[in-house]
Amino acid sequence: MDIREFLRRTFLYQDIKEYDFTLEPSEKETVENGPSLTEEEREQKGEYTSDTKVLEYTEEKNIFPSIDVNLEYLKSRYNSMINSDIIIRNFTLTARNKQFKAFLFYIDGMVDTKLINDFVLNPLMLRNQSNTYHDSENQIISEAVTNNITVRKIKKFDMSDYIYNCLIPQNSVNREKEFSKIFDSINSGNCALFIDTLDVCFDIDVKGFKQRGIDTPKNEIVVRGSQEAFTESIRTNTSLLRRIINNENLMIENIAVGSVSKTKCAVCYMKNIANNDLVAEVRYRLNNIKVDYILSSGQLEQLIEDHAKSILPQLIATERPDRAADLILEGRVVIITNGVPYVLIAPGLFFDYLASPEDLNLKYQFSNFFKFLRFIGLLVSVLLPGLYMAIATIHVEFIPTELLLVIIGSRESVPFPIFFEILIMEISLELIREAGVRVPTPLGQTIGIVGALVLGQAAVDASIVSPILIIIVAFTGIASFTIPDFSLGLYSRLTRFFYIILGYFLGLVGIGVGIFINAVVICSMKSFGVSYLAPLLPNTGNQSHFGIFLIPAWKRESRDAFLATKKEKKEKHISMEWKFPKKA
Amino acid sequence: MNLSKLRTFEAIAVCCIIVLNKIILNPTKNIIYETGSSSVLNIIYVCLLAILLSVGIWKVFSKFPNSDVLDIAEFSFGKTFKWFFAVAFLIYFLFVCSISVRSFVENIKIFYQKELDLRFLLIIFLLAAAIANRKGVGLVGRVASFITPLTILGIFLTFISVTGLFNWYRIFPILGYGINETFFTGASNLYAFSSLSVLLFLPPLLEKKADLKKVTMITTIITSLMLIFSITCMVLALSFSFTSSALSPMYLVIRSIEWGSFFESPEAIFTFIFILSMISFLSVFMMVSLYIISKIGKLKNGTTLSLSLAEIVLGASLIAKDIPSLNFLESVIYKYFSLIFVFGITSLVLLVGYFKKKKKGANHPDETME
Amino acid sequence: MKQWNKLSQIIFRIFTFLVLLCLSAFSCLSLCGFTSLKSIDQYSYVIAVGFDKGTSAPLKLTFQVAIPSPSSSSGDSSNSQDSTINTVECSSIDSGINILNDYLSKEVSLTHCKVLIFSEELASEGISPYINTLFNDVEIRPTCSIFISRSDSTSFLKTSGTHFQGITSKSYESTTNSIRYNGYIGSSKLGTFFSNLQDTFSCGYTTLVSVNNQNTIDQKSNVVPSMNSVGANLDSNYIAGESPINRNQDSAEHLGLAVFRGDKFVGELNGIETFSHLLVTNQLNEALVTIPNPLNETTFVDLSVELKKSTKTKVKLVNGTPFIQVTVSLDSKLLSIDSNTDYSNEENIGKIEDYASTYLKQNILEYLYKTSKVYKSDIASFGSKASAHFLTWQDWEEYNWLSHYQDSFFEVNVDMQIHSSSFLQRV
């Protein structure tokens, strides 16, 4: 670049065209709802419709017998000119020594090409003993002779039956007549075989897309339990459940949710244990969600839970198949969503979120102790800053004198009132947590420790906060990590702020009122027809828990009464027959 | 899960919380003032009377399954009387609510929240109680089933913590101000149990009707025990001559608790428990008032009126100008209203109904009871 | 057109919502008075209050205000002062606090007051107006200790807590704990003292304190000589301020009891009398008592004494005059070993036991008659047992226990058992 250029650029006016892209509502949307709208329909055009009609084509229902028409229709529907991963393989199919025009339609990357080559193209395209065999076409079903007249019942030869029964050595083949079902199959990774003159299409399962293998659970870590976790593929997940439960009564129903994405959801339950009404309710809710797409179980959870506005979780989300299997065998219903390694379990009750997957692996004394500890952790994480706030502003006499003088001494140089101090520290802690989630892994651990320790120490040295507050905030943070369930941890993080505000303005009265209203809200909730605080309230006997604590393994004779299961007993009265043999 | 019925445990909790709250408010002060050193004897005697009364109530109600006292009043004296009776009970409950909450808030203001306005404290208490009533009877019961054990624990803990201060000889002279004051006029101390009138409305609200006996007896026994414990604390730990003149004798006792030299002022814990129990107490009374209103007004669901009811109680609680007039309301008007109306007239209604039913049963043995 | 309506509706709704929100928030906040809320560092905490007779005003109040210790990172605070003394002359307690509020930059808070000290001079004029006001105060706790000081309370407060470096408030608490191992100190709290004042069957008493310096050691006040002529001034006969501990500086001392009749201070009890009081009222935990050695007249025996069973007291009314029987059972251990005596010999032990029982019996009788005849004050609450003889309160009040207490007869039985000495049986 020379000087003239530089001067020109610096001092002369340049007409710079900036790249400008804005998204404006297109007028096409008004036409999408149908060719002619009445006034009312126009007014209601903001209303959701699950139809996805597009004007470029008319929708067809059933397959045409002519292969060319089918091919053209499929090409137009899938925009194969534009879509790069749509593969159409035209070939000549041999059956009964006759040649037919045929084509395979599939999506590249979703299929296992070896399967197609070896088990679809090979037996159909290449001449072999099966497809060149031709015997008499008609099959005699029965023959009856009366008065020297022979009456034969013949089954007319059906080519599609023949090809289906004899020529395609693939384990999962369906015959479809409707385009919508074929599209669903192609989208999920199958390939569609169309044959000239036949009005059925063969939907062949050749799925071979790449996916993550079974991994260890990332967020629910146990010491003594299994180390398998769910993955994104629904089939792998259901296979994990099947292997653990190992019983033919396990039902896995498929429901597609979302009108555009048609996300596969599987509803799993034990037919002879789960309450029919519960299963029906789950099915009903899943079938009546009118959305375009559901991409994760988190979204699904928000659409099917009872109290949509409540911040408490109402469905258990777990990535452990052993936990899901345990709860299925107790009588609950599991909902697996394709594409997400977290499954939902209905109903989800308050004390389930305090239970860890390790509880069943340990002796009941330890499980109960840890459960109690977690409960204390929950109370501390929600109430401690608020209580400190209340005591330090209004109920000062509660603090022992020596501690009080130390606190005041340490606060001498702090310019902020306690309220702002607490808010600053709590918000900083939340920021550090959020940052820790997003920071790249090599730095993740360091940031957490550095952020917490150094920042805290630096803040004390700079007299922004007092040391006692660092201890309180740190202790609260640690207590909130003892909560096993992620959603309940989020709940505690949010409610803590309300209690801080209540404690500041109203002292212990405010905290008491806050706890009361919290209790009212929790007591009034229910999840899939079960009271949210079961089994504590209502307390009916015959449970595997004593209130909320576990009883010894040899005493867990009955399933939970609140699930109203079909099979109440799960253990004999004397389960350890080796120790107490049956008297003859 | 049905939120419109009470389970057994919840029913017991609901009835207990009412009397337990009275322990920290005025009635105990008046009891000690009137009976002096024989308070313990007097309260044991009164508790026995209360147990007898509750047996009587249960026996009457066993003749009228699934009916409450309003149905019995209608049966005994007719529809017009039932209407007046219901309105009188409604006024009684609202009156008790208002003076209790006012008295408690005055205590809180004196001991703690000097900066907070009286009206604001009243509003938040009543608002919390109204919120609890939005979803029905069962919800109030559930929350009470958490709070009642906590309150019982608090009172029991107070009792245990002050045993070091006890001078057992403070119960002497044994007859206090005399036999008359201890046993005859002292029987009027039964008004401490007047809040158990909630039991009279309970039968239709119970899930298991057969449990009425259990509920009645357990409630009376628990509340009697707690009353005995608290009066014992107040008489034996400190001199009764000034506990009877204190604003809240229970607070005075709690302030004397010392748990070692490190834990000072444990009264914050007890205050906290009593705040929770007071809100629960208010919600229970509001629940019963709403029940009466829906019964006489033939409403399907009275819970929508909970906020309006809270406003009425707020207004009523602001009537008293200062603490002496509040004391007058509590020690005179509340006492005699309870004795005459709750014990006198209600007992009459129940007795008349009982005998009428008995006669009817004797005359028409084939007729089955509704 | 319809779009306009919809838009205006939305705007109106938002506006209404905002206005309502502001109104409700404002009313809530103004009613709840948060603007006047104070936090812990806006108060100054008084840990002790002293009451004296004022020179220019009826009352002289001394406030010991705690100075918060600076944060530990700024070095040790070994020589820093942790409290200040402020003296106010005023007409009443609350006006005195008011004057102090004007003087200090932070508001005075009495919620952590540990000790109330009254001078003897003020207490002898009647303590009930002050006690009633203090008990009625929401901030002062009934578990706060009460002392009566022989010297004026200002000098006592100035010298208290100088024995060890540390927080003064903690030293007050440890004083009240010393009753567990020392029999010459009684403990008194505001709540129990107030209760005793109100009761018709007992009188109040408090811990006696004083400043101990050379002056107070030199001038011994009205000390009743002990019964034993050999050791006329045994170590147990001191009261507060007279212990012969020579120090280079003044120090605060707790020893003995101050006795009240009604609300007036009437007298003091020395060490051994306090010990007797603790025995009679069942408050003794474990304490040391020194008796002359019956086996060797020139030496003394130290016994560590504790109550074997609770002291039994019986009060009978004989022709309207109280007859009080006290039975004390004690367990003890020998602490001092004399080289001339064999303490494993049962006979020797028996002699010491008998002598000790008689010695203590005499002291207890002396204490009882002193409270009854000299002070006319029932600090041991015998009246509560006497009230069992009456049926109604009116009869009891008519009897007027305190007027009859001065005519009471006492019978004391002491049964002491010596178990052993610690390691050595004899030398």
Side-chain angles (χ1 to χ4, degrees), chain B residues 26-217:
Chain B
N26 231 334
T28 43
K29 176 170 89 180
N30 290 325
I31 293 173
I32 298 174
Y33 183 71
E34 289 189 3
T35 47
S37 56
S38 64
S39 305
V40 182
L41 193 65
N42 174 264
I43 203 69
I44 294 175
Y45 165 69
V46 162
C47 290
L48 288 169
L49 282 180
I51 293 176
L52 282 172
L53 257 178
S54 57
V55 168
I57 290 176
W58 157 60
K59 278 219 149 32
V60 170
F61 274 100
S62 59
K63 286 247 181 257
F64 295 89
N66 209 24
S67 315
D68 57 17
V69 72
L70 296 177
D71 299 327
I72 299 179
E74 186 180 352
F75 180 75
S76 310
F77 293 113
K79 246 190 172 130
T80 329
F81 178 77
K82 168 194 169 182
W83 202 90
F84 281 113
F85 194 62
V87 169
F89 252 116
L90 191 64
I91 294 175
Y92 171 71
F93 285 138
L94 293 177
F95 174 67
V96 170
C97 253
S98 55
I99 55 170
S100 306
V101 72
R102 175 70 189 273
S103 164
F104 185 73
V105 166
E106 291 280 1
N107 279 341
I108 293 256
K109 248 186 89 67
I110 288 177
F111 297 128
Y112 291 107
Q113 326 269 97
K114 303 180 206 45
E115 298 93 2
L116 289 177
D117 198 19
L118 179 81
R119 294 161 289 176
F120 189 63
L121 282 171
L122 284 170
I123 287 172
I124 51 173
F125 274 120
L126 290 167
L127 198 65
I131 290 174
N133 268 298
R134 293 294 266 176
K135 286 238 177 132
V137 165
L139 186 58
V140 171
R142 269 157 203 255
V143 181
S145 60
F146 276 124
I147 293 178
T148 309
L150 207 61
T151 316
I152 292 176
L153 187 71
I155 297 175
F156 193 60
L157 204 63
T158 317
F159 179 72
I160 290 180
S161 309
V162 291
T163 36
L165 288 172
F166 278 3
N167 180 355
W168 293 98
Y169 286 91
R170 275 199 231 260
I171 58 171
F172 295 113
I174 192 75
L175 285 180
Y177 293 124
I179 284 191
N180 192 30
E181 275 79 4
T182 308
F183 292 111
F184 296 110
T185 51
S188 65
N189 286 337
L190 200 58
Y191 80 97
F193 283 96
S194 62
S195 315
L196 279 184
S197 49
V198 163
L199 267 174
L200 301 169
F201 293 91
L202 221 46
L205 296 171
L206 287 177
E207 210 172 285
K208 291 188 206 160
K209 310 296 172 197
D211 276 342
L212 183 65
K213 175 182 179 188
K214 214 165 146 184
V215 170
T216 326
M217 296 317 294

